[in-house]
Amino acid sequence: MDYQKLAQRYDTPLYIYDFNQIKANYNALKQAFKARKSLIAYAVKANSNLSLLKLLGQLGSGADCVSIGEVRRALLAGIPNYKIIFSGVGKRDDEIAEAMEKEILYINIESEAEFHRVEEIAQKLGIPMRIGVRVNPNIDPKTHPYISTGLLESKFGVDIPTAQRLYLLAKKSPWLEPVAIHFHIGSQLTDLGPIKEASQIVADLARQLHRLDIDIRFFDVGGGLGIRYKDEEPIAPYDYAQAILSTLSGTDMTIVCEPGRFIVGNAGVFLTRVLYEKETPAKRFIIVDGAMNDLLRPSLYNAYHEVEVVGKEGEGRPADVVGPVCESGDFLAKDRPLPPTEHGDLILVKSAGAYGFAMSSNYNSRPRPAEVAIEDGRDRLIRERESFEYMIEKEVRFL
Ligand SMILES: *Cc1c(COP(=O)(O)O)cnc(C)c1O
């Protein structure tokens, strides 16, 4: 990849996505589940760029959405309503109503209170709604606490006795049609044990529900498949699928899988330019034009991203790669033995396709970076760099 050319053409900081890699990732996971009917419902929150959603839609992907904004994005990108799922702990009434009117595949319910809201709204609209219940299997996924969601102390899902009760209530309700069962124990999972354990617990519950004549047709295993940022040993898609499939004997539910990071994480890089080097007796800093507002993961999770200086080899004094934002937590990498750099050098931050642009903000009045797709050797802009005017549009008219 000619990063110099891309930086010249689109300026920095810049997100660059390899669409061929995204296709390959999608196909690998789809293929892994081929023993059964499956729907890969891409988790839109990982990277919600419309062109990227369109690409996935064309491959046959559905969408797992956590706001009505994401549902609208998915539809706009051509993903059909019957492949769209609406999840999340805090859905507003208007979001629930719109999802019903758009006749999406199902809503994943995360609490008893939400269950009653959804029933009431369905009744009011006169639209019976398909639902799933997110079950919390109380499994420790052994990942970062901020992205761990499967323990009873987490805000997500309901415990098994509550789930059983909700399914029975749904069965009796003329306004709710329980069609799915859902779990999602965390993100960046690299250990197969907890996934298999959770799947077993939820599959047993599904079998119980089948015996009670509750027709659960979708076994929704959430996302969470980890990728390699540094030296992790990611789970192979085939092993992941086998672990889940092995818990489903005697049922013929369709698997719904909601990968986000796995599809886009390693298919994206963040390109930034060196502004200055600053050396003190205590430390070496490489100050770049990208910052925590563009790529938050290092600051938020102390996440590791590999970095390299484009076109320069060798090692130098360990340096922190930091941005211009006025926070000591504003860094992209810490203590990396990078070669000496000069003003204008390019720094590549790898594995930035997931939860990169999607978590970006305008903090410090910094316009969000542009996004570029590379497909079959050709590059094209898929989101324009934000302008100052765009940033102030919603407030300037009140002056
Ligand atoms: C975040 C999330 C996902 C995607 O997680 P990844 O780790 O990116 O695969 C899938 N399903 C639900 C319900 C989520 O909250």
Side-chain angles (χ1 to χ4, degrees):
M1 192 95 58
D2 189 345
Y3 293 111
Q4 295 291 355
K5 191 188 75 187
L6 291 171
Q8 236 166 42
R9 187 169 295 169
Y10 302 104
D11 208 351
T12 57
L14 181 69
Y15 276 100
I16 303 163
Y17 309 121
D18 179 346
F19 273 23
N20 296 97
Q21 184 66 52
I22 292 173
K23 274 188 221 176
N25 293 347
Y26 174 88
N27 288 331
L29 197 56
K30 182 70 188 171
Q31 192 63 17
F33 281 111
K34 72 167 191 280
R36 208 176 254 262
K37 268 178 43 176
S38 70
L39 171 65
I40 307 292
Y42 168 68
V44 173
K45 72 175 190 276
N47 186 326
S48 54
N49 183 282
L50 287 171
S51 300
L52 195 150
L53 295 179
K54 182 175 165 195
L55 172 79
L56 286 165
Q58 284 166 344
L59 297 174
S61 181
D64 176 53
C65 302
V66 292
S67 71
I68 205 65
E70 289 189 353
V71 172
R72 290 183 190 178
R73 274 182 181 270
L75 288 168
L76 200 58
I79 295 177
N81 58 351
Y82 57 84
K83 290 185 180 175
I84 293 178
I85 300 156
F86 188 15
S87 309
V89 283
K91 305 178 194 76
R92 292 165 48 100
D93 288 7
D94 55 308
E95 292 184 297
I96 295 168
E98 190 173 326
M100 286 177 186
E101 281 157 354
K102 296 200 151 109
E103 296 183 52
I104 65 163
L105 182 58
Y106 57 84
I107 292 182
N108 273 328
I109 285 177
E110 299 228 12
S111 66
E112 184 153 8
E114 185 191 353
F115 178 93
H116 294 300
R117 287 307 307 154
V118 171
E119 185 179 32
E120 216 168 283
I121 294 166
Q123 180 170 18
K124 201 154 74 193
L125 295 178
I127 310 173
M129 190 59 205
R130 289 170 298 280
I131 60 155
V133 174
R134 177 164 175 176
V135 180
N136 185 331
N138 195 23
I139 297 287
D140 184 353
K142 304 189 183 86
T143 184
H144 190 287
Y146 285 12
I147 49 176
S148 162
T149 56
L151 280 169
L152 285 184
E153 69 221 39
S154 114
K155 69 175 177 180
F156 297 100
V158 299
D159 60 21
I160 289 182
T162 308
Q164 285 165 325
R165 208 154 35 76
L166 293 182
Y167 278 110
L168 287 171
L169 284 175
K171 188 185 179 217
K172 277 188 258 162
S173 170
W175 300 108
L176 299 175
E177 191 191 342
V179 297
I181 193 161
H182 172 48
F183 66 97
H184 172 78
I185 59 172
S187 196
Q188 183 55 13
L189 308 176
T190 51
D191 192 350
L192 205 48
I195 297 172
K196 189 164 177 178
E197 228 181 305
S199 184
Q200 188 65 61
I201 290 169
V202 179
D204 288 343
L205 177 55
R207 277 187 279 262
Q208 256 181 49
L209 297 172
H210 287 151
R211 284 195 292 275
L212 295 170
D213 224 13
I214 296 170
D215 185 21
I216 306 294
R217 279 170 278 154
F218 299 102
F219 190 73
D220 179 344
V221 302
L225 203 47
I227 62 169
R228 177 172 293 147
Y229 287 100
K230 187 182 186 184
D231 50 13
E232 301 93 333
E233 290 287 347
I235 302 165
Y238 179 82
D239 298 337
Y240 174 69
Q242 282 312 111
I244 290 164
L245 291 171
S246 71
T247 67
L248 291 181
S249 52
T251 74
D252 69 348
M253 294 179 284
T254 297
I255 302 250
V256 177
C257 183
E258 306 169 346
R261 192 187 310 273
F262 174 82
I263 301 288
V264 294
N266 279 332
V269 295
F270 179 63
L271 191 63
T272 178
R273 236 185 238 289
V274 174
L275 298 174
Y276 314 105
E277 281 230 14
K278 179 168 170 174
E279 288 225 47
T280 70
K283 227 158 158 82
R284 173 182 171 212
F285 294 102
I286 301 175
I287 302 168
V288 296
D289 67 357
M292 65 184 287
N293 74 294
D294 306 309
L295 176 60
L296 184 61
R297 298 188 70 257
S299 304
L300 184 62
Y301 310 124
N302 204 20
Y304 181 97
H305 287 266
E306 250 178 57
V307 297
E308 64 183 52
V309 184
V310 175
K312 285 196 173 167
E313 308 267 309
E315 298 200 343
R317 181 181 176 199
D320 287 7
V321 179
V322 302
V325 164
C326 301
E327 301 273 348
S328 293
D330 176 28
F331 63 91
L332 298 176
K334 283 202 154 163
D335 287 320
R336 306 296 174 83
L338 295 168
T341 66
E342 359 176 343
H343 184 83
D345 278 349
L346 291 171
I347 291 204
L348 194 60
V349 182
K350 296 185 175 174
S351 306
Y355 307 103
F357 186 91
M359 282 187 167
S360 65
S361 77
N362 290 127
Y363 188 41
N364 278 212
S365 285
R366 291 168 50 85
R368 284 184 179 77
E371 294 178 287
V372 165
I374 311 286
E375 192 170 13
D376 303 329
R378 276 190 295 275
D379 55 270
R380 67 176 198 272
L381 193 63
I382 57 172
R383 193 181 200 268
E384 231 178 283
R385 182 175 306 284
E386 288 181 359
S387 64
F388 174 71
E389 289 69 29
Y390 178 86
M391 271 196 301
I392 60 167
E393 191 188 286
K394 297 292 181 209
E395 53 191 291
V396 71
R397 61 198 164 97
F398 300 109
L399 276 180

